[in-house]
């Protein structure tokens, strides 16, 4: 429990057990079962007619962009439905017919609501009107939009300086909303623009920028059809990016090979039954991973070094493994890399990574003769102390093989939220960009701040140290998503004001500052209309393509505003019409916002027209093999460090994971069907040999604790289950395990929390 003045709110909700049932993990992903579960979920939340109307437009041209993951849409969309099971769940959550109004908050205090699980909170329904929680009160009350904007204005003007305000952005916002938000924050006078990238792919952005000159991936969707090898590291596409399985299937049908590298055996990397094809119902499915390397948690660099070292041995035997024409033309630093590989002992690397040498040799055999290689990764690589090195080692492999700038090859960081990449492209970042500042000055005639802002970790520390007093969130569930849950809660509770721009209730509405506002916004599924004309928004997918999204449903409430209108309302209230930017006009006219985006972000030239013509790709220097902005004008090889994580005999390495009934912190249900864990989320997966060593039986109740900076962080009441995971490793769901992640333990350079490699101890407790 974390006390908030007269409010006594729970940071994590109920820790009571549900009804845990264990079954054999699924043999294949998707298929008929996936279709049944998706339809049932949609019908339960939206009803039959509303479901059919919404799903027919999901991920279609001129339709609704899925608010879930950022996996691209194919040029030719499926007539059966261009969506996946978890995409349907995401849409159903947003388009639910359940509603939250003033009577709901009158009946339930924030204290009562905080005792609910995240699943129960999320199932409450759509927010329908602005609400305020005043100091020392425990019930939200209605507030008009005008009064809400005035309250924010008054609080902002009481700050000693603009850097005492934090403006967070989630990856679900549109390009138009994100651009306007970033513009207002800079006009206000700060670069405190932390975003969800800080907690996920910031490590990718830094590693790719330093080695290849752009913080994005280089592949396009069609590259998967032409790839000879696709390597997938630290990613579970069957749950987190299910439509990626279609691309992997196409790779396999064109004789491509797939190498999966992950501590858990995930069914989405093993077998796929395509629900868009008749064969997906009648056949055994398509076998995906040709090689599965079950690496120990946070030992990917050790494994990759071992692969590189063995490839180097082949090259020295004159087997022509490396692409020297590519290396000499486009890269710098290969001699240092090859010399560095000699320092590592094969036996030591094998011990670290925990993978059988015969499987590694099989991998080397495959890679040695191939040049069209795609490497994909997600949080399993980015949320470690050495995360940047993880990604740089992947780049080393691609550079040695010449696997960039040609069909079927390249980098593929798989983004987890629908427009997180677009947010960054239009200016959501705490870094200072001289080019962006100069463009803002030219277009809007004001000086953007030149002091670097705060990222997520720094923002939490600033609030906790009373150096930041206002927190505004454009979407997201910050208190649950961030690391060190109790520390983060204390930080938010020290604020004078917290503001959440949201579609649905989540725990961040209950972990609040002295005063709290909920500003309800339109969802992707809803018609966004003004003066009888329907407006559209744009987003950028995981591969750098910008396209439109427009809703099809009547808004849940007549008292909702779009995100741009909410941002414009705040800005107009704050500046009182006395500013170079006409915030009200800009926020109401999305074409005008896009015109400004064009002028400030040159890559968006013609965005309104091109986005409506099935979208357009933003420039990507790697695709053009243009490394002119890097040292020597060449792509950079890197010397990467092994993981420095060391455990004692009584310690384990824990990674946080999602269940199949979950997207980020949104819990759709209680079943992790693919892994065979049903009815319960408070579980810990452990190797059976480790269980026997600790005298633990299936479903025994345990507590977990981490010990960093001489502080114990503890979570209680979890059931341990045997699972196929390397010895010494554990896996458990977030956000339940986020309290174990220390605020001051993060990736070097990117400051991304170490959510995938937390050292913990296990304590057996009484069986409840």
């Amino acid at each position: 429990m974390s006390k908030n003045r007269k409010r006594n709110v729970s940071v994590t909700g109920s820790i009571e057990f549900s009804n845990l049932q264990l079954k054999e993990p699924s043999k294949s992903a998707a298929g008929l079962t996936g279709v049944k579960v998706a339809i049932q979920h949609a019908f339960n939340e939206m009803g039959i007619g509303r479901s059919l109307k919404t799903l027919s437009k999901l991920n279609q041209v001129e339709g609704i962009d899925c608010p879930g993951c950022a996996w691209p849409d194919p040029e030719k969309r499926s007539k059966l439905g261009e969506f996946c099971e978890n995409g349907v769940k995401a849409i159903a959550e947003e388009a639910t017919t359940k509603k939250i109004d003033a009577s709901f908050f009158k009946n339930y205090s924030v204290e009562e609501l905080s005792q609910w699980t995240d699943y129960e909170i999320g199932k409450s329904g759509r927010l329908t009107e602005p609400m305020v929680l005043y100091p020392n009160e425990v019930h939200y009350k209605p507030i008009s939009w005008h009064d809400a904007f005035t309250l924010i204005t008054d609080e902002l003007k009481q700050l000693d300086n603009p850097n005492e305000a934090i403006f967070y952005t989630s990856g679900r916002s549109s390009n138009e909303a994100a651009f306007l938000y970033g513009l207002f924050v800079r006009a206000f006078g700060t670069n405190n623009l932390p975003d969800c990238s800080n907690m996920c792919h910031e490590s990718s952005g830094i590693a790719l920028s330093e080695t290849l000159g752009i913080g994005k991936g280089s592949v396009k969707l069609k590259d998967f059809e032409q790839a000879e090898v696709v390597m997938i590291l630290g990613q579970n596409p069957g749950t987190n990016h299910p439509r990626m399985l279609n691309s992997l299937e196409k790779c396999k049908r064109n004789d491509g090979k797939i190498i999966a590298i992950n501590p858990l055996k995930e069914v989405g990397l093993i077998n796929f039954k395509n629900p868009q094809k008749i064969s997906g119902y009648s056949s055994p499915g398509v076998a995906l991973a040709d090689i599965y390397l079950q690496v120990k948690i946070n030992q990917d660099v050790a494994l990759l070094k071992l692969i590189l070292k063995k490839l180097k041995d082949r090259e020295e035997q004159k087997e022509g493994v490396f692409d020297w024409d590519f290396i000499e033309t486009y890269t710098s630093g290969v001699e240092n890399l090859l010399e560095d590989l000699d320092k590592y002992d094969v036996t030591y690397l094998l011990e670290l990574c925990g993978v059988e040498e015969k499987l590694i040799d099989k991998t080397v055999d495959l890679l040695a003769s191939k040049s069209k290689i795609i490497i994909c990764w997600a949080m399993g690589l980015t949320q470690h102390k050495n995360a940047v090195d993880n990604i740089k080692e992947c780049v080393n492999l691609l550079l040695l093989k010449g696997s960039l700038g040609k069909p079927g090859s390249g980098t593929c960081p798989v983004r987890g939220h629908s427009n997180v990449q677009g947010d960054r492209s239009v200016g959501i970042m705490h870094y200072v960009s001289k080019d962006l500042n100069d463009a803002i000055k030219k277009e809007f005639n004001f000086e953007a701040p030149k002091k670097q802002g705060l990222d997520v970790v720094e923002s939490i520390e600033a609030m906790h140290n009373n150096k930041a007093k206002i927190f505004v969130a454009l979407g997201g569930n910050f208190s649950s998503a961030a690391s060190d849950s109790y520390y983060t809660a204390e930080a938010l509770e020290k604020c004078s004001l917290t503001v959440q721009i949201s579609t649905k209730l989540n725990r961040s509405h209950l972990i609040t500052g002295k005063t709290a506002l909920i500003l309800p916004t339109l969802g992707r599924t809803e018609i966004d209309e003004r003066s009888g004309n329907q407006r559209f928004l744009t987003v950028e997918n995981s591969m750098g393509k910008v396209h439109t999204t427009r809703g099809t449903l009547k808004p849940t409430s007549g008292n909702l505003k779009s995100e741009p209108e909410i941002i414009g309302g705040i800005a107009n209230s704050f500046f009182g019409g006395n500013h170079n930017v006409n915030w009200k006009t800009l926020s109401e006219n999305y074409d005008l916002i896009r015109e400004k985006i064009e002028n400030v972000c040159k890559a968006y030239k013609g965005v309104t027209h091109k986005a409506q013509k099935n979208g357009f790709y933003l420039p990507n220097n790697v695709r053009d093999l243009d490394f002119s902005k890097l040292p020597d004008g060449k792509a950079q090889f890197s010397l990467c460090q092994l993981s420095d994580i060391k455990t004692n005999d009584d310690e384990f390495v824990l990674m946080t994971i999602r269940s199949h009934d979950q997207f980020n912190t949104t819990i759709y249900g209680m079943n992790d069907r693919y892994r065979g864990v049903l009815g319960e989320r408070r579980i810990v997966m452990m190797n059976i040999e480790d269980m026997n060593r600790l005298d633990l039986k299936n479903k025994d109740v345990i507590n977990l604790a981490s010990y960093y900076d001489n502080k114990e962080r503890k979570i209680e009441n979890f059931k341990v289950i045997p699972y196929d995971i390397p010895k010494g490793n554990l896996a458990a769901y977030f956000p339940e395990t986020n309290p174990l992640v220390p605020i001051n333990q993060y990736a070097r350079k990117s400051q991304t929390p170490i959510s995938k490699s937390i050292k913990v101890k296990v304590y057996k407790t009484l069986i409840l």
Side-chain angles (χ1 to χ4, degrees):
M1 305 291 283
S2 176
K3 292 186 177 180
N4 181 326
R5 300 163 310 283
K6 290 187 178 180
R7 301 172 199 150
N8 191 12
V9 297
S10 172
V11 174
T12 58
S14 172
I15 61 171
E16 299 299 319
F17 290 119
S18 299
N19 181 27
L20 173 60
Q21 300 175 55
L22 300 178
K23 295 184 178 181
E24 285 294 316
S26 298
K27 302 297 183 185
S28 62
L32 181 60
T33 301
V35 173
K36 288 180 178 178
V37 171
I39 291 175
Q40 181 181 27
H41 197 96
F43 287 0
N44 286 345
E45 293 289 340
M46 297 188 287
I48 297 175
R50 189 175 172 88
S51 295
L52 296 176
K53 181 178 181 180
T54 306
L55 296 180
S56 68
K57 294 292 185 180
L58 183 56
N59 293 323
Q60 299 293 341
V61 177
E62 296 189 354
I64 308 161
D65 184 66
C66 180
C69 80
W71 192 254
D73 306 316
E75 296 299 322
K76 185 178 180 180
R77 316 295 164 90
S78 170
K79 294 181 180 179
L80 291 177
E82 192 55 58
F83 48 77
C84 65
E85 175 188 339
N86 276 9
V88 173
K89 291 175 181 176
I91 281 291
E93 289 289 304
E94 178 183 295
T96 180
T97 56
K98 299 172 187 174
K99 300 180 182 181
I100 292 176
D101 56 17
S103 63
F104 174 89
F105 289 109
K106 186 176 181 179
N107 290 334
Y108 299 107
S109 69
V110 292
E111 294 174 344
E112 292 174 279
L113 291 171
S114 75
Q115 300 295 330
W116 295 8
T117 64
D118 291 280
Y119 172 65
E120 292 168 328
I121 293 171
K123 289 297 180 184
S124 301
R126 282 291 300 278
L127 297 161
T128 57
E129 58 186 315
M131 306 297 297
V132 62
L133 182 66
Y134 288 114
N136 298 326
E137 295 190 0
V138 294
H139 286 271
Y140 275 101
K141 297 177 180 178
I143 186 173
S144 70
W145 282 104
H146 175 273
D147 289 348
F149 294 153
T150 300
L151 192 158
I152 296 171
T153 292
D154 291 344
E155 290 282 348
L156 289 174
K157 288 186 174 180
Q158 289 179 35
L159 297 176
D160 291 334
N161 68 78
N163 292 318
E164 291 183 335
I166 307 292
F167 297 89
Y168 173 76
T169 315
S170 147
R172 72 166 298 281
S173 64
S174 64
N175 291 327
E176 291 77 6
F179 177 80
L180 197 62
Y181 193 57
L183 188 67
F184 164 65
V185 173
R186 292 183 174 94
F188 173 67
T190 184
N191 282 310
N192 287 349
L193 281 161
D195 71 318
C196 57
S197 284
N198 299 154
M199 295 186 278
C200 56
H201 270 290
E202 195 71 49
S203 302
S204 300
I206 288 174
L208 293 174
S209 295
E210 291 184 354
T211 56
L212 301 177
I214 187 171
K216 303 180 182 182
S218 65
V219 301
K220 295 182 179 180
L221 199 59
K222 64 182 180 182
D223 286 316
F224 282 83
E225 300 179 41
Q226 303 172 68
E228 295 174 314
V229 180
V230 176
M231 298 179 68
I232 304 170
L233 294 87
Q235 185 199 356
N236 177 19
T239 288
N240 300 332
H241 316 93
R243 288 193 300 146
M244 181 179 176
L245 300 181
N246 292 314
S247 298
L248 297 180
E249 180 188 34
K250 290 176 181 177
C251 173
K252 290 301 299 284
R253 293 197 183 283
N254 290 334
D255 297 323
K257 303 295 182 182
I258 295 174
I259 301 170
I261 300 175
N262 203 60
L264 293 178
K265 282 284 186 74
E266 302 286 17
V267 67
L269 292 169
I270 297 171
N271 189 279
F272 172 51
K273 292 185 176 182
N274 193 334
Q276 295 179 346
K277 298 180 179 179
I278 298 299
S279 59
Y281 303 93
S282 58
S283 74
V286 176
L288 294 180
D290 297 276
I291 304 173
Y292 208 117
L293 307 179
Q294 210 166 350
V295 66
K296 289 181 180 179
I297 293 172
N298 196 21
Q299 295 299 345
D300 300 274
V301 170
L303 175 60
L304 289 167
K305 281 191 184 299
L306 194 47
I307 292 171
L308 293 176
K309 190 174 178 67
K310 286 176 175 284
L311 285 171
K312 176 177 177 287
D313 291 342
R314 298 286 188 91
E315 179 65 26
E316 290 174 346
Q317 294 168 19
K318 308 298 183 183
E319 293 187 20
V321 172
F322 297 158
D323 186 340
W324 284 105
D325 286 342
F326 180 93
I327 293 168
E328 291 169 359
T329 304
Y330 297 109
T331 76
S332 175
V334 67
E335 298 85 0
N336 292 335
L337 173 72
L338 298 178
E339 182 180 338
D340 185 67
L341 288 174
D342 291 335
K343 299 176 183 178
Y344 296 95
D345 176 70
V346 169
T347 302
Y348 180 61
L349 294 175
L350 282 169
E351 180 184 351
L352 286 179
C353 72
V355 179
E356 291 183 64
E357 188 168 17
K358 65 179 181 180
L359 288 176
I360 296 173
D361 289 338
K362 186 178 179 182
T363 301
V364 173
D365 287 340
L366 178 58
L367 292 173
S369 61
K370 307 299 183 184
S371 64
K372 294 182 179 180
I373 303 168
I374 294 173
I375 299 184
C376 309
W377 68 88
M379 303 301 94
L381 286 197
T382 66
Q383 293 180 329
H384 303 281
K385 186 166 287 188
N386 64 326
V388 173
D389 280 352
N390 283 339
I391 291 112
K392 285 186 173 182
E393 203 74 273
C394 293
V395 173
N396 283 340
L397 175 55
L398 293 173
L399 292 177
L400 286 171
K401 297 296 297 179
S403 300
L404 292 168
K406 62 185 179 185
S409 306
T411 56
C412 185
V414 185
R415 308 307 297 260
H417 214 158
S418 60
N419 196 43
V420 60
Q421 189 160 289
D423 287 351
R424 187 59 63 89
S425 295
V426 298
I428 296 296
M429 56 183 171
H430 62 283
Y431 305 110
V432 177
S433 165
K434 184 179 184 302
D435 289 343
L436 179 62
N437 282 11
D438 289 346
I440 288 173
K441 171 68 173 177
K442 181 178 179 181
E443 184 66 23
F444 298 105
N445 197 29
F446 73 81
E447 295 281 353
K450 298 177 182 178
K451 178 183 177 182
Q452 180 164 309
L454 305 178
D455 63 16
V456 165
V457 168
E458 291 164 341
S459 294
I460 294 169
E461 291 175 331
M463 290 186 286
H464 203 278
N465 295 329
N466 296 308
K467 293 181 179 179
K469 301 172 183 177
I470 294 177
F471 176 83
V472 182
L474 179 61
N477 181 6
F478 187 84
S479 68
S480 291
S483 60
D484 215 337
S485 304
Y486 289 95
Y487 184 93
T488 296
E490 290 169 359
L492 289 167
E493 290 175 343
K494 290 182 177 182
C495 289
S496 61
L497 174 68
T498 50
V499 181
Q500 305 287 337
I501 301 171
S502 310
T503 56
K504 295 190 67 185
L505 191 70
N506 62 52
R507 193 164 298 279
S508 292
H509 301 107
L510 313 175
I511 309 294
T512 72
K514 295 179 176 65
T515 302
L517 281 170
I518 298 174
L519 304 182
T521 186
L522 292 170
R524 292 265 181 95
T525 55
E526 291 169 314
I527 296 171
D528 185 352
E529 196 172 70
R530 184 166 186 83
S531 301
N533 296 316
Q534 184 174 359
R535 301 176 289 193
F536 69 87
L537 296 162
T538 63
V539 294
E540 179 187 343
N541 67 32
S542 192
M543 294 178 185
K545 188 174 185 180
V546 178
H547 58 96
T548 64
T549 180
R550 67 187 84 212
T552 189
L553 300 175
K554 180 181 177 181
T556 298
S557 163
N559 204 12
L560 302 180
K561 289 183 180 290
S562 71
E563 288 181 334
E565 287 174 332
I566 293 172
I567 297 160
I570 295 171
N572 190 61
S573 174
F574 181 81
F575 288 108
N578 184 26
H579 194 262
N580 296 338
V581 180
N582 188 329
W583 298 100
K584 187 175 188 298
T585 300
L586 198 59
S587 68
E588 293 172 353
N589 187 337
Y590 301 168
D591 285 345
L592 184 56
I593 298 177
R594 285 187 286 272
E595 180 183 310
K596 299 302 183 183
I597 293 175
E598 285 186 51
N599 295 340
V600 173
C601 309
K602 300 303 182 183
Y604 282 82
K605 191 68 176 176
V607 56
T608 294
H609 173 71
K610 291 191 292 185
Q612 293 183 89
K613 301 286 286 186
N614 205 25
F616 65 98
Y617 282 98
L618 295 174
N620 189 298
N621 64 283
V622 179
R623 292 172 187 157
D624 300 328
L625 293 177
D626 174 13
F627 304 111
S628 56
K629 292 185 178 180
L630 291 167
D632 303 321
K634 295 188 174 185
Q636 302 291 301
F637 280 99
S638 308
L639 302 185
C640 303
Q641 298 181 40
L642 293 171
S643 167
D644 60 3
I645 193 166
K646 299 285 191 299
T647 55
N648 297 321
D649 291 342
D650 61 345
E651 291 179 315
F652 292 82
V653 181
L654 168 73
M655 66 176 183
T656 65
I657 58 174
R658 296 180 188 172
S659 82
H660 190 62
D661 251 353
Q662 173 181 2
F663 180 73
N664 293 344
T665 60
T666 302
I667 314 300
Y668 301 136
M670 298 297 289
N671 295 331
D672 194 354
R673 187 176 78 250
Y674 286 171
R675 298 188 183 109
V677 182
L678 310 178
E680 181 57 70
R681 291 183 52 81
R682 302 185 68 81
I683 60 95
V684 176
M685 301 174 187
M686 182 182 286
N687 185 289
I688 187 63
E689 292 186 36
D690 286 328
M691 289 180 63
N692 292 337
R693 178 169 59 86
L694 298 182
D695 193 28
L696 290 170
K697 304 294 188 296
N698 185 24
K699 300 184 182 181
D700 273 356
V701 179
I702 62 172
N703 299 333
L704 297 173
S706 66
Y707 298 90
Y708 293 87
D709 51 68
N710 297 316
K711 179 179 178 181
E712 180 186 67
R713 294 169 173 85
K714 192 173 184 179
I715 55 176
E716 299 178 327
N717 282 14
F718 284 74
K719 290 188 176 181
V720 63
I721 63 172
Y723 207 82
D724 185 5
I725 187 171
K727 287 189 291 184
N729 291 174
L730 306 173
Y733 304 128
F734 73 85
E736 288 85 351
T737 46
N738 283 0
L740 295 172
V741 187
I743 190 68
N744 60 356
Q745 296 294 314
Y746 39 71
R748 293 183 289 269
K749 293 190 176 183
S750 72
Q751 297 201 160
T752 299
I754 59 163
S755 301
K756 291 291 188 286
S757 54
I758 317 152
K759 289 196 297 184
V760 299
K761 292 185 179 181
V762 174
Y763 299 97
K764 186 176 180 180
T765 185
L766 297 176
I767 297 177
L768 299 182

